[in-house]
Amino acid sequence: MDAQTNPEAYEQLALYIDGEFVAADGRREQDVVNPATGVAFARLPHASRQDLDRALAAADRAFQSWRHTSPMERSAILRRVAGLIRERAPAIARNITLDQGKPLAEALQEVSSCAEHAEWHAEECRRIYGRVIPPRSESVRQMVIRQPIGVCAAFTPWNFPFNQALRKAAAALGAGCTLVLKGPEDSPSAVVALARIFHDAGLPPGCLNVVWGVPAEVSGHLIASPIVRKISFTGSTAVGKSLAALAGAQMKRMTMELGGHSPVLVFDDADVEPAARFLARTKTRNAGQVCMAPSRFFVHDKAYDRFLDAFTGVYAGLRVGDGLAPQTQMGPLAHDRRVEAMQSLVADARARGAAVLCGGDRLAGAGNFFAPTVVANAPDDSRLMTEEPFGPVVPVTRFGSTDEVLARANALPYGLASYVFTNSLATAHHVSNRLEAGMVTINHFGLALAETPLGGVKDSGMGSEGGTETFDGYLVTKFVSESSRVP
Ligand code: NAD
């Protein structure tokens, strides 16, 4: 029996304000739709203006005490969160597959890996060190201390609904900040489950609040509030820029994890076929709806045909279907907007002379399924090569020289991740120094671990999540100079 026949099995959707789970109770609601079937099976309550103000007031009140808690106390709660994530991962994962679509094994991996993220923040928050600056006089002591910035507003996306919310919550709370978080309305179960975990781990009321609504209305209201001192957003560059403008007008700190169009550089000295097969499997993840997905493939002339054969061999044979079915390798796209976007990118590439080697259209029947698609020789100025695809459509083109491919890889305003395949240390050094990206990974996929910083440059955002950088965006620097006597 699944959630469509047994709604009890799905997360009880709610707002979470001041330590209480708040049901619809006459509030506006929206449908939650299973992307594999197109069937609406749950209702999500929207926050009213009063709810948003209550969440802000609760976060403000809670900050007055949470900011002074010992890091040991915050660390202990984050450790309990990690334990509860491990315990509840199977149920949370199943609900993510129902409302987001990714295969169950991927959903489970997303949730389980978050236990590590919680633990990393539990460890690092005990090391939010300041420093002592040597004074010019013996009677003086000069210190730099780092303090929580205040109440934060976070806006998290639907592609990794648990991971993205957990990372922002753990960073804000670990630093001593409090938080109002708007999760993804399309795929809401994971964020409600996360709120229950923090609640059960003993987080005091008001430290974390979860709200839902019309995204622009909620973000506009929260960012305009003088209570909010910092915003954190993961999503598209276009929305990120509009939120950044709102925050900038009030000099509010921001962390922005935005879109990308990550270049893949495959040199002729690489292990070409294994690289192609590895990349095809990597691209399959979450049906390509990953901000750092490999997405513009540049393959050296001498390796091009071998690469395309091996890549298409894996990609065209993927088993696409409902994420709950054990044999499924790639699920549906999260909503119909993505299917329409794929169709229009492929149509533009075709019109500009590119060849569609496999796939190319939505799959017949219910649900938001799009065929794994490989497009050869899309021109560099086609939409597929310039707009973030965020789906299972892969453009592959040739290059002749290192200088040429670097210029083409760096030509877009994006700068999130980049991938290099080569067996030459000299090439690896040369291109990793010159790629304009926040992350470069060579001969594998080495990104998004708890201990490594994740973030982009240029239009792909500002600030990092994870790594020892994870609290930087949530802290302010205060300089204190004390003298043992009045001069
Ligand atoms: P979208 O731009 O409409 O929405 C992206 C996300 O931002 C969603 O979670 C949405 O709820 C939220 N959002 C939209 N407007 C908002 C606002 N005014 N205030 C606060 N939040 C807002 O696009 P979409 O069709 O849902 O997703 C596709 C695009 O989103 C992709 O092209 C990709 O660039 C981007 N995206 C990026 C990531 C990432 O990890 N960087 C994640 C999800 C989506």
Side-chain angles (χ1 to χ4, degrees), residues 157-159 215-216 219 234-236 239 257-258 291 335 337-338 388:
W158 45 261
N159 59 340
S219 58
T234 298
S236 64
V239 174
E257 210 269 272
L258 306 178
C291 58
H335 45 65
R337 301 192 293 280
R338 296 312 317 144
E388 180 178 33

